[in-house]
Amino acid sequence: MLQKIIRRALATVVVLIGVSIIAFLLVRLAPGDPAKLMLPDTATEETIQAMREKMGTDKPLFIQYLTYMKNVLKGDLGTSYHYNRSCSQLIFSRLPSTAKLAGFGMLLSLCFSIPLGMIAGIKKGSFIDTLSMFFAMIGQSMSHVWLGLMLILIFAVNLKWLPSMGTGTFKHMIMPAIVIGFQFSALATRMVRSGMIDVLQEDYITATRAKGISKFKVYTKYAFKNALLPVVTVVGSQVGAMMSGSMVIETVFSWPGIGSLTTQAIYNRDYQLIQSILLISATIFVVCNLLVDILYTFIDPRISFN
Amino acid sequence: MEDLLKIEDLYVEYRVGGTVAKAINGVDLTIGKGEALGLVGESGAGKTTTALSVLNLLPEKIGFITKGKITFDGRSVLDMSDKEMSGIRGSKISMVFQNPLTSLNPVFTVGHQVEMVLEHHKHLNKKEARAEAVKLFAMVGIPEYRLNDYPHQFSGGMRQRVGIAAALACSPELLIADEPTTALDVTIQAQILEMMKDLQKQYSTSLLMITHNLGIIAELCQKVAIMYGGKIVEYGTVEEVFNHPKHWYTIGLINAIPKLKGERERLESIPGLVANSQDLPGGCSFHPRCRYCTEQCMNEIPATEEVAEGHYVACWNRRT
Ligand SMILES: Nc1ncnc2c1ncn2[C@@H]1O[C@H](COP(=O)(O)OP(=O)(O)OP(=O)(O)O)[C@@H](O)[C@H]1O
Ligand SMILES: [Mg+2]
């Protein structure tokens, strides 16, 4: 078991090296000379060249990459020229608030979609089932921006119940968390529902009922666990969806997280920062998936690592 | 002998989409206390449906009891509340399911699947239930250290033993065994049957043994009921029915058993296909496959007659 986990972790490292190369190349290949950006328009060719040397962009790509990786391994992600601060400092100061938002959004959507999906699956064909499927369809097709703006319009502008932007209190977190978790709750509702429908037809559920276990307990203890398994598998991949979603959502709600930092970095052509964010996000994504895979082997005894 | 289970004039339908399958069409059956009854019939005859009806566990919104009465220990099963029924299932009536590969929950340990019966009915705590489960597993020949394994780590035969251990956990008055050995290979079949025989004697449990293997019936049961197209076509003591079969379907079944002694004859098979519950033939369901079919057989449902003491047959043109 441990051996398998280690092997899987090694594979993760390979993926991350690939990601670092891609992140590095994407940023280098983008048009525009970062050195010029750092300097006023009036800068002479000489000062620009001096800047290039200082930034290391005059060297061959391969050497640049190696230098970069050497620094990364030392924990140095480089300096953001725009903010004039170290990238890692910038990223790690923003990371907790994104994590808080995504975590709360995920929790919110699970609290909502698991009961809804279960009831819909148990009462297949009923009104609540139709309603849940309607919600799932809308949820999967609605854009973050539109939903965010609508919520702001209703709850911040008209009803004045919730603040439309910023951070600090719990109230600030509600709307962005709903938006970030919305697509996932639609997906999860659908998965729990179909899982429940499938599981309830299984022989082992009839067998459990034949042991005298009440319907309620069968639903909430036994079928629940079977139906929930597929949802766990998508939680990992949802981390990626949430990170990309956070770019838009944090901008809409002025939430000071990684998402809005990314948007800013792109506006500012802050190459070093973009590259570091890419690397860190990818690491988070891959590690989350690894954790989910490990977790999955504990809840589903049939799956062993491979 | 006192009756433990009495099924009277039972009709069951499955409704899926637009189609209706008439799975049970007027079944009468009685099992006495301590008695073992074999229920025989081809695939699709309605054996599992009969068993699930007794537990009132037909698939919801699909299987419907349209008529009939089931009495267990003097009380009507179909009129019981959910709570009363939960008290009986798994304790007074328990069932071993047909397919051991699908009837254990894959994400719970085999130990838990037996312990949950004990926790529910005997109100034992986790520790007591474990101790009790260890004894039950020992009885069916599974060592203690395997209790924390999951079903996929077990072979089919071992899983069936788990099913049997769970079914026997509360020493039921009626054990329904739905083809407990069909999914297993022959040597394990024999072991499991031997075990069930011992246990039935030990606890004087009544047994409803569902199978299409007549050998098993001869080995284990006192009475036998032959089912075809959702009806009991012949019923009586095992000796009487096996030695003097009267219904042509029963005769066909008996002739289809290979014999080791004597000359090797060609095995006789029953011509035609099993009756389709979605499209049952009129009159006697067996008539399209019967060599002795008469005009009356095609049009009228045969009445059940007592041809010898305790030997009932539903056939217009039975063997004399
Ligand atoms: N869930 C269901 N939905 C629809 N039809 C069903 C369902 N279960 C059983 N039937 C139908 O009811 C009839 C009786 O089925 P049943 O399972 O009781 O047969 P059986 O005698 O147990 O057969 P086998 O030996 O194959 O287990 C069959 O014709 C079958 O097609
Ligand atoms: Mg069956």
Side-chain angles (χ1 to χ4, degrees):
Chain A
M1 179 77 181
L2 188 69
Q3 208 182 7
K4 283 174 182 164
I5 293 177
I6 291 171
R7 210 179 305 151
R8 177 74 169 71
L10 284 178
T12 303
V13 171
V14 175
V15 170
L16 281 177
I17 292 175
V19 167
S20 71
I21 295 176
I22 292 171
F24 178 81
L25 285 181
L26 275 182
V27 168
R28 300 301 133 148
L29 296 178
D33 185 342
K36 272 190 192 155
L37 275 166
M38 300 297 300
L39 298 164
D41 287 346
T42 53
T44 62
E45 192 54 40
E46 264 162 41
T47 31
I48 294 174
Q49 187 55 36
M51 192 50 149
R52 283 194 190 122
E53 272 164 34
K54 189 180 160 218
M55 292 169 77
T57 50
D58 59 332
K59 305 226 172 58
L61 280 181
F62 182 65
I63 303 292
Q64 284 185 43
Y65 175 73
L66 285 186
T67 322
Y68 173 64
M69 282 315 281
K70 206 172 77 192
N71 291 333
V72 167
L73 291 179
K74 281 192 280 185
D76 175 13
L77 292 174
T79 312
S80 154
Y81 293 107
H82 181 78
Y83 294 96
N84 220 343
R85 278 175 67 192
S86 97
C87 289
S88 48
Q89 241 178 40
L90 273 168
I91 292 173
F92 287 104
S93 69
R94 298 286 197 108
L95 210 50
S97 59
T98 296
K100 204 163 77 177
L101 188 62
F104 185 57
M106 179 84 73
L107 193 74
L108 213 62
S109 59
L110 287 176
C111 289
F112 176 77
S113 55
I114 290 174
L116 182 64
M118 278 182 69
I119 295 170
I122 292 166
K123 301 209 176 289
K124 186 183 154 201
S126 67
F127 175 68
I128 190 156
D129 180 28
T130 316
L131 203 69
S132 80
M133 283 302 90
F134 183 66
F135 161 73
M137 197 184 70
I138 294 207
Q140 284 189 298
S141 41
M142 189 144 50
S143 90
H144 286 136
V145 185
W146 191 80
L147 179 64
L149 292 179
M150 272 325 201
L151 287 180
I152 290 179
L153 195 66
I154 297 171
F155 294 103
V157 178
N158 287 336
L159 296 172
K160 297 194 167 44
W161 286 353
L162 296 168
S164 69
M165 51 162 54
T167 163
T169 68
F170 179 70
K171 273 188 170 177
H172 285 98
M173 201 156 66
I174 296 176
M175 283 198 290
I178 289 177
V179 180
I180 210 169
F182 204 71
Q183 274 183 1
F184 177 58
S185 44
L187 178 70
T189 305
R190 194 191 286 274
M191 292 184 76
V192 173
R193 174 185 177 269
S194 64
M196 204 69 189
I197 291 173
D198 288 347
V199 166
L200 289 181
Q201 289 169 351
E202 292 284 350
D203 273 358
Y204 54 77
I205 293 298
T206 314
T208 309
R209 296 266 283 130
K211 289 174 182 167
I213 312 296
S214 72
K215 244 189 222 176
F216 183 76
K217 193 164 180 194
V218 168
Y219 292 154
T220 53
K221 179 167 180 190
Y222 295 102
F224 174 74
K225 194 168 173 191
N226 299 101
L228 209 60
L229 284 177
V231 180
V232 177
T233 49
V234 298
V235 167
S237 60
Q238 280 302 304
V239 172
M242 286 191 164
M243 276 190 302
S244 65
S246 74
M247 277 182 60
V248 173
I249 294 162
E250 292 183 358
T251 309
V252 170
F253 289 96
S254 314
W255 185 267
I258 287 287
S260 51
L261 184 68
T262 315
T263 320
Q264 283 305 316
I266 292 171
Y267 280 143
N268 301 332
R269 294 230 183 153
D270 197 339
Y271 289 98
Q272 199 60 45
L273 187 55
I274 297 173
Q275 185 181 337
S276 305
I277 292 174
L278 274 176
L279 191 62
I280 297 288
S281 318
T283 310
I284 294 172
F285 178 70
V286 177
V287 168
C288 283
N289 272 298
L290 178 64
L291 289 180
V292 166
D293 282 357
I294 294 174
L295 182 73
Y296 200 70
T297 59
F298 285 105
I299 37 184
D300 190 344
R302 286 164 300 181
I303 311 285
S304 59
F305 241 99
N306 46 41
Chain B
M1 196 189 313
E2 217 180 316
D3 290 346
L4 181 67
L5 178 77
K6 201 175 170 76
I7 303 176
E8 292 164 272
D9 203 24
L10 184 72
Y11 286 79
V12 178
E13 283 179 12
Y14 289 103
R15 300 182 198 140
V16 188
T19 58
V20 177
K22 294 189 189 268
I24 306 281
N25 305 290
V27 161
D28 290 280
L29 267 185
T30 326
I31 301 179
K33 289 203 168 137
E35 186 177 68
L37 170 74
L39 184 59
V40 196
E42 281 167 287
S43 187
K47 305 179 298 290
T48 302
T49 307
T50 308
L52 290 177
S53 303
V54 171
L55 287 166
N56 202 355
L57 270 184
L58 290 169
E60 263 176 72
K61 293 188 201 126
I62 294 178
F64 298 91
I65 297 179
T66 50
K67 196 177 156 198
K69 203 169 164 208
I70 298 171
T71 319
F72 176 76
D73 216 3
R75 294 163 66 211
S76 168
V77 168
L78 303 178
D79 295 327
M80 280 184 207
S81 68
D82 275 354
K83 208 169 165 209
E84 275 178 289
M85 206 57 227
S86 280
I88 289 184
R89 288 184 196 128
S91 72
K92 292 193 169 167
I93 310 179
S94 60
M95 177 156 168
V96 178
F97 280 75
Q98 185 164 359
N99 188 348
L101 302 180
T102 57
S103 52
L104 294 177
N105 194 327
V107 297
F108 290 89
T109 62
V110 289
H112 180 75
Q113 318 216 21
V114 172
E115 285 155 17
M116 67 196 216
V117 190
L118 298 161
E119 285 169 23
H120 180 68
H121 291 291
K122 294 192 172 171
H123 308 288
L124 303 183
N125 63 32
K126 285 217 168 348
K127 226 174 132 191
E128 295 163 339
R130 173 53 56 119
E132 195 66 20
V134 168
K135 283 186 216 156
L136 285 159
F137 274 96
M139 190 171 74
V140 296
I142 299 175
E144 179 173 352
Y145 74 92
R146 302 224 47 182
L147 259 69
N148 285 328
D149 282 356
Y150 286 89
H152 72 277
Q153 293 163 292
F154 273 35
S155 68
M158 289 180 85
R159 289 191 222 184
Q160 197 61 294
R161 288 161 196 246
V162 175
I164 292 170
L168 294 173
C170 297
S171 328
E173 290 168 32
L174 174 64
L175 175 65
I176 303 174
D178 190 356
E179 310 196 25
T181 58
T182 346
L184 312 177
D185 67 63
V186 191
T187 45
I188 297 171
Q189 263 187 32
Q191 286 174 23
I192 294 215
L193 290 175
E194 204 52 43
M195 192 178 79
M196 291 189 54
K197 202 169 164 179
D198 290 349
L199 296 170
Q200 198 222 339
K201 278 210 193 101
Q202 195 179 332
Y203 295 105
S204 69
T205 301
S206 302
L207 178 66
L208 174 59
M209 183 74 188
I210 298 173
T211 174
H212 27 219
N213 184 335
L214 297 180
I216 294 179
I217 305 265
E219 186 74 14
L220 261 136
C221 304
Q222 294 95 49
K223 298 272 179 63
V224 59
I226 315 287
M227 194 168 205
Y228 189 85
K231 262 181 89 73
I232 305 297
V233 296
E234 185 155 9
Y235 169 85
T237 61
V238 171
E239 277 150 41
E240 172 74 19
V241 172
F242 283 14
N243 293 327
H244 311 287
K246 297 287 185 219
H247 196 286
W248 295 107
Y249 178 61
T250 316
I251 295 164
L253 284 180
I254 292 172
N255 286 342
I257 306 174
K259 294 175 189 68
L260 283 180
K261 287 179 206 152
E263 273 175 65
R264 294 218 176 162
E265 300 163 37
R266 264 197 63 175
L267 276 186
E268 273 182 57
S269 67
I270 305 173
L273 292 175
V274 192
N276 175 4
S277 62
Q278 288 176 12
D279 185 19
L280 282 179
C284 171
S285 306
F286 186 59
H287 86 253
R289 300 172 71 187
C290 185
R291 253 186 284 174
Y292 304 89
C293 171
T294 65
E295 188 76 30
Q296 194 181 19
C297 300
M298 291 194 243
N299 301 313
E300 285 174 58
I301 296 175
T304 304
E305 285 174 74
E306 188 167 8
V307 292
E309 208 198 317
H311 184 178
Y312 297 84
V313 180
C315 178
W316 290 128
N317 192 20
R318 62 174 184 261
R319 180 154 87 176
T320 46

